């Protein structure tokens, strides 16, 4: 088992390993001595696969367990689901000494975290991420929230978890396409600033899952500790995301988030080379890595369409947009450009 400690506005451990759902009840005693109530939040798919194991562990440790389960998928990540969850928390009389447990992918973690951030002006929550993406990214760092009809993640709060348990056994039931989506985010960390991770990824993921996940969590930890409120260095996590979000939206979400980020990383690397800002060997290195993890690399859209959508994204600041550009293998930097030059910039990557 690996442990990464995050020292943000709250200090907490991220544990990574096998069997962590089974031992969760005992592990939580130090943070939340029983008797306590816990609301386990999950989606229907994850509840059916992994819920019994977690709930049995919590109950046998003496916790009183309640459940809130919603239909799986991004379509559930709404204000309406949050209201239902708030009501469930109130009906069970959860207090500030009780806690919420998020069991699922990023959708579950973001919503359970947001409900915990806002119910009674904030109660603790614990993350049990069950997708690779949630283990390496969304469960760590305290961004919580939900979508509005006009855009993703438009409501939310920063609320750090009290603990994160990445039980790698749960990855065994993950469909291949959702696992591949997570791999795009894993690979992203390598090109942000982790050449050692890129070396590890030359071997199959299954050879060292705990080590690879722990590397990513430590990379995210460093950026969160440097910039918890996401005004500077944390934006490096958006490598591949400016073009990626545009690709996702233009495809009407038929291209998955991970696939879009993969294509976005290649596009930005090629554009950075064309602009004289990146060493020439980077795009082919990224392409080869993504292909090895069954991820796409070719962009099906033109620069005009991409720029139009990217400039309507909430990450734009006034007349400029901050791009994340690789400059050599295993290193990236932030690069603000005037918004009206984005289309030309994208052209260099296509
Ligand atoms: P998700 O939570 O929708 O999970 C994907 C699918 O996998 C779901 O259908 C789910 O039921 C299923 N699933 C989950 N675990 C499983 C398992 N172990 N076995 C079988 N099926 C399983 O999606 P995701 O990719 O985990 O997360 C995407 C969400 O995360 C988005 O809403 C995104 O905005 C958010 N996100 C948040 C942050 C953050 O910092 N808070 C960072 C990145 C992404
Ligand atoms: N996934 C982006 C962030 O946590 O900042």
């Amino acid at each position: 088992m690996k442990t990464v400690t995050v020292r943000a506005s709250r200090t907490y451990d991220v544990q990574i390993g096998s069997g962590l759902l089974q031992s969760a009840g005992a592990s939580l005693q130090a943070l939340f001595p029983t008797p306590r109530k816990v609301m386990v939040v999950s989606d229907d798919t994850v509840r059916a696969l992994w819920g019994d194991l977690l709930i049995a562990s919590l109950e046998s440790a003496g916790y009183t367990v309640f459940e809130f389960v919603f239909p799986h998928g991004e379509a559930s990540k709404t204000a309406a689901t949050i209201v239902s969850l708030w009501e469930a928390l109130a009906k069970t009389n959860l207090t500030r000494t009780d806690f919420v447990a998020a069991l699922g992918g990023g959708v579950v973690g973001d919503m359970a975290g947001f409900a915990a951030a806002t119910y009674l002006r904030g109660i603790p929550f614990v993350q049990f991420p069950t997708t690779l993406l949630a283990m390496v990214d969304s469960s760590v760092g305290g961004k919580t929230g939900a979508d509005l009809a006009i855009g993703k993640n438009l409501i939310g709060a920063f609320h750090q978890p009290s603990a994160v348990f990445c039980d790698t056994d749960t990855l065994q039931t993950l469909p291949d396409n959702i696992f591949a989506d997570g791999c795009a985010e894993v690979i992203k960390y390598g090109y942000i600033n982790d050449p050692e991770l890129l070396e590890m990824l030359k071997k199959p993921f299954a050879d060292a899952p705990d080590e690879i996940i722990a590397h990513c969590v430590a990379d995210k930890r460093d950026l969160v500790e440097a910039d918890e409120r996401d005004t500077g260095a944390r934006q490096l996590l958006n490598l591949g995301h400016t073009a990626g979000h545009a690709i996702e939206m233009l495809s009407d979400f038929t291209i998955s988030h991970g696939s879009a980020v993969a294509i976005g990383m290649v596009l930005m690397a090629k554009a950075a080379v064309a602009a004289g800002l990146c060493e020439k060997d980077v795009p082919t290195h990224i392409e080869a890595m993504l292909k090895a993890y069954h991820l796409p690399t070719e962009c099906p859209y033109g620069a005009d369409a991409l720029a139009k959508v990217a400039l309507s994204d909430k990450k734009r600041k006034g007349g400029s947009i901050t791009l994340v550009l690789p400059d050599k293998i295993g290193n990236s930097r932030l690069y603000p450009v005037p918004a009206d030059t984005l289309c030309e910039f994208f052209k260099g990557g296509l």
Side-chain angles (χ1 to χ4, degrees), residues 137-138 140-141 143 185 188-189 220 224 230 234-235 237-238 241:
D137 191 353
S138 60
V140 178
K143 281 190 185 175
E185 304 288 352
K188 180 190 78 177
Y189 284 106
K220 180 151 187 185
V224 168
D230 199 18
R234 186 168 177 167
Q235 292 170 34
L237 292 167
N238 293 331
H241 282 60

Side-chain angles (χ1 to χ4, degrees), residues 43 45-46 49-50 72-74 77 105-108 110 130-131 133-134 137-138 143 152-153 170 173-175 178 220:
D43 70 31
T45 304
V46 180
L49 290 165
W50 297 101
H72 65 276
E74 189 75 27
K77 197 176 162 184
V107 167
V108 169
D110 279 15
T130 63
T131 64
L133 178 144
D137 191 353
S138 60
K143 281 190 185 175
K152 280 180 67 171
N153 296 323
T170 62
T173 57
L174 209 54
I178 297 173
K220 180 151 187 185

Side-chain angles (χ1 to χ4, degrees), residues 5-349:
T5 302
V6 181
R7 291 185 177 82
S9 50
R10 181 193 309 280
T11 295
Y12 54 96
D13 284 342
V14 182
Q15 292 185 20
I16 301 132
S18 167
L20 295 179
L21 289 181
Q22 211 155 1
S23 57
S27 310
L28 284 165
Q29 287 291 331
L31 280 173
F32 303 107
T34 47
R36 302 273 174 128
K37 291 179 193 167
V38 49
M39 177 67 78
V40 174
V41 179
S42 198
D43 70 31
D44 53 351
T45 304
V46 180
R47 171 63 186 88
L49 290 165
W50 297 101
D52 287 349
L53 193 59
L54 176 62
I55 289 168
S57 167
L58 294 170
E59 286 181 339
S60 68
Y63 293 104
T64 305
V65 177
F66 300 93
E67 284 190 67
F68 182 86
V69 180
F70 58 83
H72 65 276
E74 189 75 27
S76 286
K77 197 176 162 184
T78 61
T81 308
I82 294 290
V83 172
S84 303
L85 178 47
W86 281 331
E87 284 170 353
L89 294 169
K91 277 184 195 144
T92 49
N93 284 318
L94 250 80
T95 69
R96 286 200 190 122
T97 56
D98 300 316
F99 65 102
V100 169
L103 174 70
V107 167
V108 169
D110 279 15
M111 283 205 295
F114 184 51
T118 44
Y119 174 70
L120 298 181
R121 300 191 182 85
I123 67 170
F125 83 116
V126 174
Q127 292 265 22
F128 293 93
T130 63
T131 64
L132 181 58
L133 178 144
M135 291 182 191
V136 300
D137 191 353
S138 60
S139 65
V140 178
K143 281 190 185 175
T144 70
D147 303 335
L148 296 179
I150 60 163
K152 280 180 67 171
N153 296 323
L154 290 181
I155 54 171
F158 287 95
H159 187 53
Q160 300 291 341
S162 298
V164 182
F165 297 91
C166 303
D167 186 333
T168 49
D169 297 342
T170 62
L171 297 176
Q172 287 161 14
T173 57
L174 209 54
D176 290 347
N177 60 330
I178 297 173
F179 179 75
D181 268 359
C183 289
E185 304 288 352
V186 169
I187 291 167
K188 180 190 78 177
Y189 284 106
Y191 291 103
I192 291 174
N193 61 8
D194 194 344
E196 200 178 301
L197 176 63
L198 293 175
E199 283 305 308
M200 292 166 78
L201 292 174
K202 286 181 180 165
K203 293 190 185 147
F205 179 91
D207 282 7
D210 298 11
E211 289 74 10
I212 290 171
I213 294 167
H215 241 270
C216 298
V217 170
D219 289 339
K220 180 151 187 185
R221 181 263 324 268
D222 293 345
L223 293 172
V224 168
E225 287 182 356
D227 175 28
E228 185 170 350
R229 304 289 290 194
D230 199 18
T231 57
R234 186 168 177 167
Q235 292 170 34
L236 286 165
L237 292 167
N238 293 331
L239 177 62
H241 282 60
T242 302
H245 281 152
I247 292 163
E248 245 185 310
M249 289 178 74
L250 287 167
S251 78
D252 210 9
F253 296 92
T254 57
I255 298 180
S256 71
H257 179 74
S259 293
V261 167
I263 296 167
M265 281 193 279
V266 175
L267 192 155
M268 294 314 272
K270 286 183 179 168
V273 171
L277 299 166
C278 177
E279 292 178 4
K280 288 193 173 55
D281 56 348
V282 175
T284 46
H285 196 281
I286 298 180
E287 276 175 310
M289 180 67 81
L290 293 170
K291 282 181 180 155
Y293 283 83
H294 311 292
L295 286 157
T297 57
E298 295 291 325
C299 184
Y301 304 108
D304 291 306
L306 288 170
K308 194 170 166 206
V309 176
L311 291 173
S312 64
D313 192 279
K314 73 178 191 299
K315 288 185 176 65
R316 177 180 173 180
K317 287 193 203 95
S320 80
I321 184 160
T322 300
L323 304 177
V324 187
L325 301 180
D327 53 5
K328 59 184 178 184
I329 293 166
N331 198 66
S332 295
R333 61 193 165 118
L334 299 176
Y335 193 79
V337 296
D340 59 9
T341 64
L342 187 63
C343 183
E344 262 326 287
F345 192 84
F346 279 162
K347 278 182 188 160

